[in-house]
């Protein structure tokens, strides 16, 4: 066994240019020891093989592989979600959708039907489903690999009995109406230069055509067919896209435009006009 002191960890972080918090997440993954006890330990016992594995993960991070892609999971709202090369790593700003659903549907015992369109890991829909014990969820994505991940996450959260998965090109395979539709579509314009970390997410989860708005032009004209009366659509948007997106479909009325913690317009709540 080798002993790593706090000073050794700091030195490893600086030689691989990795932030200390991220290094502890990687170490937690290698050792299976809780993060908090690693951070508080003055000395950490580690085998030669584990040290090798830790260093190879630090090297991956040095090469800009996101921590979530290295360890295979990421925290979102109240839970940790499996993620892989086929799914977008859940983003903190997307948690706003869950908060807005709770704001507009305050009764947790409601019997709601929810659609997560372009579900990826399922982080949005499953976080909501977990809060509403009488709700049902349909997870939809064009990627069967993403749906496999979403299904695993549902099982991990022990709420898989209340959810179904469907492969669908937006609404093409959806045949029901919902109280809640949540959607975080790909919205990056095709010529946009991604930072190194984002470039590890699947292209289909990121790019929305020339101006980033292709998915909105597909989804919004269909929404009125898939919401029950008083149903709501919670739609994530990219920076400076709000006005163009609100202008796409005249049958929908904007209920709220919510900003994220950075003050960026991030989620539009729509309802169908009466
Ligand atoms: C930005 S990611 C969002 C994933 C997840 N909902 C989240 O917020 O982390 C967009 C998702 O839309 C899916 N997608 C892209 N084009 C689609 C289409 N035509 N029909 C259905 N889903 C699509 C992608 O596979 C991806 O999972």
């Amino acid at each position: 066994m080798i002993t790593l002191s706090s000073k050794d960890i700091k030195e490893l972080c600086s030689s691989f240019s990795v932030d200390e918090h991220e290094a502890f997440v990687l170490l937690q993954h290698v050792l299976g020891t809780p993060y908090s006890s690693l951070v508080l330990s003055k000395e950490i016992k580690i085998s030669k093989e584990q040290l090798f594995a830790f260093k190879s993960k630090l090297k991956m991070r040095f090469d800009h592989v996101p921590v979530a892609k290295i360890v295979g999971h990421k925290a979102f709202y109240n839970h940790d979600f499996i993620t892989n090369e086929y799914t977008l790593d859940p983003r903190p700003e997307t948690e706003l959708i869950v908060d807005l659903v709770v704001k507009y549907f305050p009764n947790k015992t409601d019997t709601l039907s929810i659609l997560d369109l372009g579900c990826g890991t399922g982080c949005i829909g499953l976080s909501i489903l977990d809060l509403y014990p009488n709700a049902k969820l349909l997870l939809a994505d064009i990627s069967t690999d993403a749906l496999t991940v979403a299904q695993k996450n549902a099982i991990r959260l022990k709420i898989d009995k209340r959810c179904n998965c469907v492969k669908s090109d937006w609404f093409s395979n959806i045949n029901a109406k919902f109280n809640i539709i949540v959607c975080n579509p790909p919205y990056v314009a095709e010529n946009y230069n991604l930072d190194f970390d984002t470039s590890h997410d699947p292209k289909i989860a990121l790019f929305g055509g020339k101006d980033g708005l292709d998915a909105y032009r597909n989804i919004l004209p269909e929404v009125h067919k898939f919401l029950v009366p008083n149903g709501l659509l919670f739609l994530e948007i990219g920076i400076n896209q709000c006005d163009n997106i609100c202008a796409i479909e005249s049958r929908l009325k904007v209920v709220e435009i919510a900003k994220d913690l950075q003050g960026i317009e991030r989620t539009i709540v729509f309802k169908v006009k009466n």
Side-chain angles (χ1 to χ4, degrees), residues 26 40 62 68 75 87 89 94 105 108 112 136 141 165 190 199 217 220 227 234 236 239 258 270:
L26 297 176
L40 295 172
F62 174 78
T87 52
D89 296 340
T94 304
F105 294 87
K108 297 281 170 49
L112 300 169
K136 290 211 161 106
D141 206 289
C165 292
E190 73 191 11
S199 63
R217 282 188 281 264
L220 290 172
L227 280 176
F234 299 83
E236 181 161 323
I239 191 162
F270 283 106

Side-chain angles (χ1 to χ4, degrees), residues 184-197:
N184 173 20
Y187 53 67
V188 179
E190 73 191 11
N191 61 355
Y192 187 82
N193 277 333
L194 296 173
D195 62 40
F196 288 119
D197 284 13

Side-chain angles (χ1 to χ4, degrees), residues 45 54 56 65 75-76 110 123 251:
K45 298 270 181 233
F54 179 42
S56 69
V65 182
F76 180 87
D110 277 354
C123 61
R251 278 170 290 203

Side-chain angles (χ1 to χ4, degrees), residues 88 90 94 118-120 123-124 141-143 168-170 184-186 204-205:
L88 184 96
T94 304
C119 64
C123 61
I124 310 173
D141 206 289
I142 200 165
S143 156
S168 183
D169 182 356
W170 300 129
N184 173 20
I204 196 169

Side-chain angles (χ1 to χ4, degrees), residues 57-110:
K57 290 182 191 323
L58 287 169
K59 172 73 171 63
M60 285 169 85
R61 186 63 194 119
F62 174 78
D63 292 334
H64 297 284
V65 182
V67 171
K69 289 280 188 274
I70 302 172
V71 301
H73 56 91
K74 186 160 177 201
F76 180 87
Y77 215 77
N78 291 334
H79 297 287
D80 216 32
F81 287 85
I82 298 165
T83 181
N84 66 19
E85 69 266 45
Y86 305 113
T87 52
L88 184 96
D89 296 340
R91 303 289 204 268
E93 60 271 24
T94 304
E95 294 182 352
L96 180 57
I97 295 188
V98 185
D99 284 335
L100 286 164
V101 167
V102 171
K103 174 177 166 183
Y104 285 94
F105 294 87
N107 186 351
K108 297 281 170 49
T109 59
D110 277 354

Side-chain angles (χ1 to χ4, degrees), residues 125-193:
L126 291 169
S127 295
I128 298 167
L129 190 67
D130 185 55
L131 297 174
Y132 295 85
N134 299 320
K136 290 211 161 106
L137 171 68
L138 183 60
L139 294 159
D141 206 289
I142 200 165
S143 156
T144 38
D145 292 314
L147 286 169
T148 303
V149 173
Q151 174 71 19
K152 281 187 186 157
N153 280 321
I155 293 168
R156 223 165 113 114
L157 297 187
K158 300 189 172 68
I159 49 179
D160 52 303
K161 298 226 160 36
R162 290 189 287 127
C163 91
N164 282 309
C165 292
V166 63
K167 181 178 160 104
S168 183
D169 182 356
W170 300 129
F171 286 109
S172 66
N173 267 337
I174 313 287
N175 306 305
K177 287 184 185 264
F178 301 88
N179 302 97
I180 296 170
I181 300 176
V182 291
C183 182
N184 173 20
Y187 53 67
V188 179
E190 73 191 11
N191 61 355
Y192 187 82
N193 277 333

